[in-house]
Coordinates of all heavy atoms in Angstrom, one line a residue:
M17 N 88.9 -18.9 95.8 CA 89.4 -20.2 95.4 C 90.1 -20.0 94.0 O 90.0 -19.0 93.4 CB 88.3 -21.2 95.2 CG 87.2 -20.8 94.2 SD 85.8 -22.0 94.1 CE 86.6 -23.4 93.3
D18 N 90.9 -21.1 93.7 CA 91.5 -21.0 92.3 C 90.4 -21.1 91.3 O 89.4 -21.7 91.5 CB 92.4 -22.3 92.2 CG 93.7 -22.1 93.0 OD1 94.5 -21.2 92.6 OD2 93.9 -22.8 93.9
F20 N 88.0 -22.1 88.6 CA 87.5 -23.4 88.2 C 88.1 -24.5 89.0 O 88.2 -25.6 88.6 CB 87.6 -23.6 86.7 CG 86.6 -22.8 85.9 CD1 87.1 -21.7 85.2 CD2 85.3 -23.1 85.9 CE1 86.2 -20.9 84.5 CE2 84.4 -22.4 85.1 CZ 84.8 -21.3 84.4
A21 N 88.6 -24.2 90.3 CA 89.2 -25.2 91.2 C 90.5 -25.8 90.6 O 90.9 -26.9 91.0 CB 88.2 -26.3 91.5
M22 N 91.1 -25.0 89.7 CA 92.4 -25.5 89.2 C 93.6 -24.8 89.8 O 93.9 -23.7 89.5 CB 92.4 -25.3 87.6 CG 91.3 -26.0 86.9 SD 91.3 -25.6 85.2 CE 89.8 -26.5 84.7
G23 N 94.2 -25.5 90.7 CA 95.4 -24.9 91.4 C 95.6 -25.5 92.8 O 94.7 -26.2 93.3
S24 N 96.8 -25.2 93.3 CA 97.1 -25.7 94.7 C 97.6 -24.6 95.6 O 98.2 -24.8 96.6 CB 98.2 -26.7 94.5 OG 97.8 -27.8 93.7
S25 N 97.3 -23.3 95.2 CA 97.9 -22.2 95.9 C 97.0 -21.0 96.0 O 97.3 -20.0 96.6 CB 99.2 -21.8 95.3 OG 98.9 -21.2 94.0
G46 N 95.4 -24.8 97.9 CA 94.2 -24.7 97.0 C 93.7 -26.0 96.5 O 94.3 -27.0 96.8
S47 N 92.6 -26.0 95.8 CA 91.9 -24.8 95.4 C 91.0 -24.2 96.4 O 90.7 -23.0 96.4 CB 91.1 -25.1 94.1 OG 90.1 -26.1 94.4
S48 N 90.6 -25.0 97.5 CA 89.7 -24.4 98.5 C 90.5 -23.6 99.5 O 90.3 -23.8 100.7 CB 88.9 -25.5 99.1 OG 88.2 -26.3 98.2
T66 N 85.5 -28.3 97.6 CA 85.5 -29.5 96.7 C 86.9 -30.0 96.5 O 87.9 -29.3 96.7 CB 84.9 -29.0 95.3 OG1 85.8 -28.1 94.7 CG2 83.5 -28.4 95.5
D67 N 86.9 -31.3 96.2 CA 88.2 -32.0 96.1 C 88.2 -32.8 94.9 O 87.5 -33.8 94.8 CB 88.4 -32.8 97.4 CG 89.8 -33.4 97.6 OD1 90.3 -33.9 96.6 OD2 90.3 -33.2 98.7
T68 N 89.0 -32.4 93.8 CA 89.1 -33.1 92.6 C 90.4 -33.9 92.5 O 90.5 -35.0 91.9 CB 89.0 -32.1 91.4 OG1 87.8 -31.4 91.5 CG2 89.1 -32.8 90.1
G69 N 91.4 -33.3 93.2 CA 92.7 -33.9 93.3 C 93.4 -33.7 94.6 O 94.6 -34.0 94.8
G70 N 92.7 -33.0 95.5 CA 93.3 -32.7 96.8 C 92.9 -31.4 97.4 O 93.4 -31.0 98.5
S71 N 92.0 -30.7 96.7 CA 91.6 -29.3 97.1 C 90.9 -29.1 98.4 O 90.8 -28.0 98.8 CB 90.8 -28.7 96.0 OG 91.7 -28.4 94.9
I72 N 90.5 -30.2 99.1 CA 90.0 -30.0 100.5 C 91.2 -30.3 101.4 O 91.5 -29.6 102.3 CB 88.8 -31.0 100.8 CG1 87.6 -30.4 100.1 CG2 88.7 -31.1 102.3 CD1 86.3 -31.3 100.3
R73 N 91.9 -31.4 101.1 CA 92.9 -32.0 102.0 C 94.2 -31.1 102.0 O 94.8 -30.9 103.1 CB 93.2 -33.4 101.7 CG 92.0 -34.3 102.0 CD 92.1 -35.6 101.2 NE 91.9 -35.5 99.8 CZ 92.3 -36.2 98.8 NH1 93.1 -37.3 99.1 NH2 92.0 -36.0 97.5
Q74 N 94.7 -30.7 100.9 CA 96.0 -30.0 100.9 C 95.9 -28.6 101.6 O 96.7 -28.3 102.4 CB 96.5 -29.9 99.4 CG 97.9 -29.2 99.3 CD 97.8 -27.8 98.8 OE1 96.7 -27.2 98.8 NE2 98.9 -27.2 98.4
F99 N 84.4 -29.5 87.2 CA 85.7 -29.4 86.7 C 86.1 -30.7 86.0 O 86.1 -30.8 84.8 CB 86.6 -29.0 87.9 CG 88.1 -29.3 87.7 CD1 88.7 -29.5 86.5 CD2 88.9 -29.2 88.8 CE1 90.1 -29.7 86.4 CE2 90.3 -29.4 88.8 CZ 90.9 -29.7 87.5
D104 N 85.4 -34.9 90.8 CA 84.9 -33.9 91.8 C 84.1 -34.5 92.9 O 83.2 -35.3 92.7 CB 84.0 -32.9 91.0 CG 84.6 -32.2 89.8 OD1 85.9 -32.1 89.8 OD2 83.9 -31.7 89.0
Y202 N 96.3 -38.2 86.3 CA 95.4 -37.2 86.6 C 95.5 -36.0 85.7 O 94.5 -35.4 85.2 CB 95.7 -36.7 88.1 CG 94.9 -35.5 88.5 CD1 93.6 -35.6 89.1 CD2 95.4 -34.2 88.3 CE1 92.9 -34.5 89.5 CE2 94.7 -33.1 88.7 CZ 93.4 -33.2 89.3 OH 92.7 -32.1 89.8
Y203 N 96.7 -35.6 85.3 CA 96.9 -34.4 84.4 C 96.6 -34.7 83.0 O 96.9 -33.9 82.1 CB 98.2 -33.7 84.7 CG 98.1 -32.8 85.9 CD1 98.5 -33.3 87.2 CD2 97.4 -31.6 85.8 CE1 98.3 -32.5 88.3 CE2 97.1 -30.9 86.9 CZ 97.6 -31.3 88.2 OH 97.3 -30.5 89.3
A206 N 92.0 -35.2 84.2 CA 91.3 -34.0 84.7 C 91.2 -32.9 83.6 O 90.1 -32.4 83.4 CB 91.9 -33.5 85.9
E247 N 95.9 -20.6 83.6 CA 95.9 -22.1 84.0 C 94.8 -22.8 83.4 O 94.9 -23.9 82.9 CB 96.0 -22.2 85.5 CG 96.0 -23.6 86.0 CD 97.3 -24.4 85.6 OE1 98.3 -23.8 85.3 OE2 97.2 -25.6 85.5
R251 N 94.9 -26.0 80.7 CA 94.2 -27.3 80.9 C 93.3 -27.6 79.7 O 93.2 -28.7 79.3 CB 93.3 -27.3 82.2 CG 94.1 -26.8 83.4 CD 94.5 -28.0 84.2 NE 95.3 -27.5 85.4 CZ 95.0 -27.9 86.7 NH1 94.2 -28.9 86.9 NH2 95.7 -27.4 87.7
M314 N 104.0 -27.1 90.9 CA 102.7 -26.9 91.5 C 101.9 -28.1 91.5 O 101.3 -28.5 92.5 CB 102.0 -25.8 90.8 CG 100.8 -25.3 91.4 SD 101.1 -24.2 92.9 CE 101.2 -22.6 92.1
Y315 N 101.9 -28.9 90.4 CA 101.1 -30.1 90.3 C 101.6 -31.1 91.4 O 100.8 -32.0 91.8 CB 101.2 -30.7 88.9 CG 100.6 -29.9 87.8 CD1 100.8 -30.2 86.5 CD2 99.8 -28.7 88.1 CE1 100.2 -29.4 85.4 CE2 99.3 -27.9 87.1 CZ 99.5 -28.3 85.8 OH 99.0 -27.5 84.7
A317 N 102.3 -30.7 94.4 CA 101.7 -30.4 95.7 C 100.6 -31.4 96.1 O 100.4 -31.7 97.2 CB 101.1 -29.0 95.8
D318 N 100.1 -32.1 95.1 CA 99.0 -33.0 95.3 C 99.4 -34.5 95.1 O 98.6 -35.4 94.9 CB 97.8 -32.7 94.4 CG 97.2 -31.4 94.6 OD1 97.0 -31.1 95.8 OD2 97.0 -30.6 93.7
T321 N 97.6 -36.9 97.3 CA 96.2 -36.8 97.5 C 95.4 -37.3 96.2 O 94.3 -37.8 96.3 CB 95.7 -35.3 97.8 OG1 96.3 -34.4 96.8 CG2 96.1 -34.9 99.2
I322 N 96.1 -37.1 95.0 CA 95.4 -37.4 93.8 C 95.0 -38.9 93.6 O 93.9 -39.1 93.0 CB 96.3 -36.9 92.6 CG1 96.1 -35.4 92.4 CG2 96.1 -37.7 91.3 CD1 97.0 -34.8 91.4
N325 N 91.5 -39.6 94.6 CA 90.4 -39.2 93.7 C 90.3 -40.1 92.5 O 89.2 -40.4 92.1 CB 90.7 -37.8 93.2 CG 90.7 -36.8 94.3 OD1 91.7 -36.7 95.0 ND2 89.7 -36.0 94.5
Ligands
LIG1 N1 95.6 -29.0 92.5 C1 94.8 -29.9 91.7 C2 94.6 -29.3 90.4 O1 95.0 -28.2 90.2 C3 93.6 -30.3 92.4 C4 92.5 -29.3 92.4 C5 91.2 -29.7 93.0 O2 91.2 -30.7 93.8 N2 90.2 -29.0 92.7 O3 93.9 -29.8 89.6

Side-chain angles (χ1 to χ4, degrees):
M17 60 184 288
D18 285 295
F20 288 103
M22 297 173 187
S24 301
S25 69
S47 62
S48 308
T66 68
D67 192 312
T68 301
S71 283
I72 286 177
R73 292 160 288 156
Q74 183 260 12
F99 161 12
D104 299 341
Y202 173 90
Y203 279 98
E247 182 61 25
R251 308 260 182 134
M314 188 74 89
Y315 296 170
D318 296 314
T321 51
I322 276 177
N325 299 76

